[in-house]
Amino acid sequence: MVRDESFLVLGGAGLVGSQIVREVSRQLQPRKVVVASLFREEVEELLNEVRQEFPEVEFVGEWGNVFVREEFRELSREQLLGNPAYREALYEDLFGDIDAAYERSVLVRMIRTHRPDVIVDCINTATALSYQEVEPLSLKTHEALQQLQQTPDDPSVRETLTTDVETLLISQAALQLIRHIRLLHRAMCEVGTRVYVKIGTTGTGGMGLNIPYTHSEDRPSVPLMMKTAMAFAHTGLLFLMARTPGGPLVKEVKPAAMIGYRRVALQPVRRRGRPQFVYEGRREPLQDRLVLREDECRYRKQGELVMAGVDTGENGFFARGEFETITHIGQMEFLTPEEIAEQVVLEIKGSNTGHDIIAGIDSNVMVPSYRAGVLRHTALRRLHQLERESNGHSVALGQLGPPELSKLLYEAHLLKLNFKTLKAVCQTPAETVADTLYHYLETDATLRNQIISIGVPILAPDGQQLIRGPFINIPESIHDEVPVTPEDIDRWARKGWVDLRPVNMRRWQERFERMMAAKPFLHTQGTASITRTTYLHDTIEIGEVVAWIFANEEGGYRIK
């Protein structure tokens, strides 16, 4: 049921977004539609139109850059990159504490404020993140490094290099996309968003590597291929979001043609938001050097460039010849925003349009098989046999990650070696359990040294001593030394240390009690008795115990 729900349309004042706002208002009778777009003027212009068309719907406007913090939402990229303090803030939002970045985010604030039931994301995210001139910036940074080697004492070279390196660090599209998705998903889970629909892109209007429309001399150009890479990286992350319990229903509609058009008009031409002028040319001889960019003041202006053309919204303003070429059969051709909006509304209603990319991937990936399940038991039997023959401990190497997996497996292994069953652990005082495991490790040097050699230290029952090897995986830090507080010890021990303190043994006892509590229903409810909370054994089977913990405590389980 979608009637009387609230909608947030990101990029809602754009070519596709504006049609989705209208189609949603016309067909779904929403209680409220929030139109969010980059510029205030375009939002207010659309709101004036739709309020007259759909007076029964409440329309609210939001504007600003959703990829930055609140205080930067109306600043241009040039303004942000030109200020060292702003660059440092962007670095912190990308690489720093995600909880702090979450509280500062424009996107998160919008979602928290309006608590939308449905979000339709029409922002061309792939373009926004890929067109950051990383390739020329990398070349420029390399040149600055070479200049620094030649003139190490030149302050201007150092300043240029500093700016270039800082800009390069905060222009990494993949990292920006990952953080964007994490903030978006967390915010939607927090407010209970029901459906998220993304209007994606192929990056090439449906064409392949042979695409003749490019951004440089290369064909295909790096910026265009970066756009495609980001577009499908985005799809992959949305696929993961769709498979995450507790979140919204996730869909993506991915047009594979040029989208157009908004209007046909005779109008001044603008480039990057600024007027483009007609200049009077001058003749010069070709010599051994060619100046590519000269001061515009050296050329006489003849007024703004005005041309008849097609406004295709975010894709730009095309002259007749360009539009005729790109939409020709066998080229990009084109698709109207109204057709996209119709499919989006059908998907929100729950129709199977066949255009949901996430559903298409989901139905075509290969899933776990019965054969693999049979062979799993064969492999496990052989592993147990080899472990007995070698008198070793095949528990964890730390290669699968996270460090928490190794920590839990070794703790479960120690409990199994000393107590065998869940019940025996629960019937023993936590202090006794802690001391028993500690004394066992004191006598078994092989197991003790194996644990610490993979970067997992062992915290003694008193919490004051640490048995360790040459390196420690947790905490993760670029520094070789970090300060220690009691709060840090608790956090690190929970995340990646074998924790032999009684408080952790009580945590294990509580887990085992929950596992045993599900056993009475195992044979009384048929197939329904096997759920995520079910543990099938009386004995401690370390892999199954840790899988139970991941599924029931961490929410780490597959839903398909």
Side-chain angles (χ1 to χ4, degrees):
M1 183 66 179
V2 296
R3 183 175 297 180
D4 294 329
E5 289 188 324
S6 63
F7 283 68
L8 169 59
V9 184
L10 299 169
L15 182 65
V16 174
S18 59
Q19 292 307 316
I20 286 176
V21 168
R22 287 185 165 92
E23 205 65 30
V24 161
S25 302
R26 182 179 297 112
Q27 293 197 41
L28 303 182
Q29 298 177 309
R31 172 175 50 83
K32 179 173 77 169
V33 176
V34 181
V35 178
S37 212
L38 186 58
F39 300 113
R40 178 174 184 167
E41 296 77 14
E42 61 182 10
V43 171
E44 291 180 340
E45 181 181 349
L46 178 63
L47 290 183
N48 289 334
E49 296 174 4
V50 294
R51 281 171 178 157
Q52 294 179 38
E53 294 176 43
F54 310 99
E56 70 282 2
V57 178
E58 177 189 358
F59 290 99
V60 179
E62 287 274 9
W63 52 86
N65 183 353
V66 298
F67 299 103
V68 297
R69 60 173 62 183
E70 186 67 32
E71 63 194 87
F72 294 163
R73 71 188 181 102
E74 295 191 72
L75 297 180
S76 67
R77 178 170 171 81
E78 290 74 19
Q79 289 173 307
L80 291 173
L81 297 183
N83 186 310
Y86 293 169
R87 292 197 301 271
E88 181 62 29
L90 291 173
Y91 178 89
E92 184 63 29
D93 289 341
L94 181 58
F95 293 99
D97 180 60
I98 193 167
D99 292 332
Y102 183 80
E103 296 298 328
R104 295 188 292 255
S105 166
V106 170
L107 178 61
V108 171
R109 195 269 305 160
M110 285 184 184
I111 295 173
R112 277 175 154 179
T113 299
H114 301 288
R115 308 184 70 83
D117 300 294
V118 179
I119 296 178
V120 184
D121 186 351
C122 308
I123 296 171
N124 198 330
T125 307
T127 297
L129 297 184
S130 61
Y131 287 7
Q132 298 184 78
E133 300 182 330
V134 172
E135 184 190 25
L137 182 58
S138 299
L139 297 172
K140 188 167 174 279
T141 303
H142 185 258
E143 288 181 2
L145 281 169
Q146 292 179 321
Q147 287 182 345
L148 183 65
Q149 293 174 345
Q150 297 169 2
T151 56
D153 298 323
D154 188 336
S156 64
V157 173
R158 287 180 174 273
E159 182 179 350
T160 299
L161 180 60
T162 298
T163 300
D164 290 346
V165 170
E166 289 177 349
T167 303
L168 191 58
L169 286 173
I170 58 179
S171 299
Q172 298 180 66
L175 295 177
Q176 291 174 342
L177 179 62
I178 291 167
R179 179 141 290 199
H180 170 69
I181 288 293
R182 292 186 65 190
L183 296 179
L184 171 65
H185 180 254
R186 179 171 166 182
M188 290 194 295
C189 290
E190 179 184 332
V191 305
T193 297
R194 185 179 65 83
V195 180
Y196 172 81
V197 183
K198 174 66 184 175
I199 312 302
T201 179
T202 65
T204 60
M207 302 189 77
L209 291 171
N210 61 336
I211 180 171
Y213 313 104
T214 183
H215 300 277
S216 66
E217 291 182 59
D218 293 332
R219 196 179 85 180
S221 64
V222 169
L224 199 60
M225 293 298 96
M226 180 68 78
K227 181 180 177 182
T228 293
M230 285 301 101
F232 285 91
H234 200 167
T235 298
L237 292 172
L238 293 180
F239 175 71
L240 299 187
M241 188 191 293
R243 288 188 163 226
T244 304
L249 181 65
V250 178
K251 297 172 176 286
E252 182 185 14
V253 175
K254 194 181 278 290
M258 190 198 83
I259 303 171
Y261 47 86
R262 176 176 282 150
R263 66 177 67 89
V264 176
L266 177 68
Q267 66 181 53
V269 177
R270 303 182 73 83
R271 184 183 294 271
R272 295 183 178 178
R274 291 180 292 186
Q276 185 165 344
F277 295 96
V278 176
Y279 297 95
E280 184 178 317
R282 59 186 176 85
R283 213 180 291 268
E284 66 177 29
L286 274 176
Q287 298 176 339
D288 58 347
R289 307 268 311 166
L290 180 63
V291 179
L292 300 180
R293 282 171 288 275
E294 289 189 327
D295 188 347
E296 294 178 4
C297 296
R298 299 184 60 186
Y299 290 78
R300 181 180 299 172
K301 288 182 182 177
Q302 295 185 331
E304 291 188 20
L305 176 61
V306 178
M307 193 174 295
V310 178
D311 182 357
T312 64
E314 295 91 325
N315 286 321
F317 182 73
F318 297 151
R320 178 184 59 81
E322 293 168 323
F323 182 76
E324 186 175 358
T325 303
I326 201 171
T327 59
H328 192 274
I329 291 177
Q331 297 300 302
M332 278 192 192
E333 305 181 32
F334 88 113
L335 179 68
T336 68
E338 293 79 11
E339 291 169 300
I340 297 170
E342 178 65 28
Q343 297 304 308
V344 168
V345 168
L346 287 172
E347 286 290 347
I348 294 171
K349 285 180 175 180
S351 299
N352 295 316
T353 67
H355 293 301
D356 177 13
I357 295 295
I358 306 303
I361 295 174
D362 197 58
S363 64
N364 285 284
V365 294
M366 295 185 69
V367 295
S369 69
Y370 178 82
R371 182 175 188 273
V374 172
L375 292 175
R376 174 179 183 267
H377 291 288
T378 302
L380 287 173
R381 280 198 304 270
R382 180 58 177 155
L383 282 168
H384 281 300
Q385 180 184 349
L386 289 173
E387 196 172 6
R388 286 194 301 270
E389 291 173 357
S390 64
N391 198 29
H393 304 274
S394 181
V395 179
L397 294 170
Q399 301 297 320
L400 182 58
E404 187 175 5
L405 172 60
S406 300
K407 161 238 177 37
L408 290 171
L409 284 170
Y410 275 111
E411 289 177 357
H413 184 60
L414 286 167
L415 290 168
K416 178 181 177 65
L417 290 173
N418 288 274
F419 295 94
K420 301 294 190 295
T421 67
L422 308 180
K423 188 174 182 180
V425 173
C426 293
Q427 290 178 339
T428 306
E431 291 75 10
T432 304
V433 175
D435 289 336
T436 301
L437 301 191
Y438 184 63
H439 291 310
Y440 182 89
L441 280 174
E442 283 189 318
T443 59
D444 191 335
T446 300
L447 179 57
R448 182 180 69 244
N449 293 336
Q450 178 176 309
I451 294 171
I452 65 169
S453 296
I454 66 168
V456 179
I458 301 165
L459 184 61
D462 62 7
Q464 302 298 314
Q465 300 176 70
L466 197 67
I467 305 172
R468 57 162 295 171
F471 64 93
I472 295 174
N473 294 327
I474 296 293
E476 294 177 303
S477 176
I478 60 173
H479 304 292
D480 293 332
E481 187 175 308
V482 293
V484 179
T485 67
E487 293 75 22
D488 290 331
I489 292 173
D490 288 338
R491 187 171 70 254
W492 299 337
R494 183 182 286 270
K495 198 69 179 172
W497 295 1
V498 170
D499 184 1
L500 301 184
R501 295 176 300 174
V503 64
N504 190 42
M505 297 304 107
R506 280 190 283 273
R507 191 176 296 125
W508 275 103
Q509 289 172 333
E510 291 168 0
R511 287 169 179 150
F512 288 171
E513 286 169 358
R514 295 202 302 276
M515 292 180 188
M516 291 188 295
K519 286 295 287 291
F521 305 102
L522 189 56
H523 303 294
T524 61
Q525 297 179 358
T527 55
S529 63
I530 305 298
T531 68
R532 195 170 69 249
T533 61
T534 306
Y535 181 75
L536 299 175
H537 311 280
D538 296 315
T539 55
I540 301 170
E541 305 303 323
I542 65 171
E544 296 191 35
V545 164
V546 175
W548 186 95
I549 292 170
F550 280 171
N552 290 278
E553 293 184 7
E554 306 290 338
Y557 60 92
R558 64 183 293 146
I559 57 177
K560 296 180 183 179

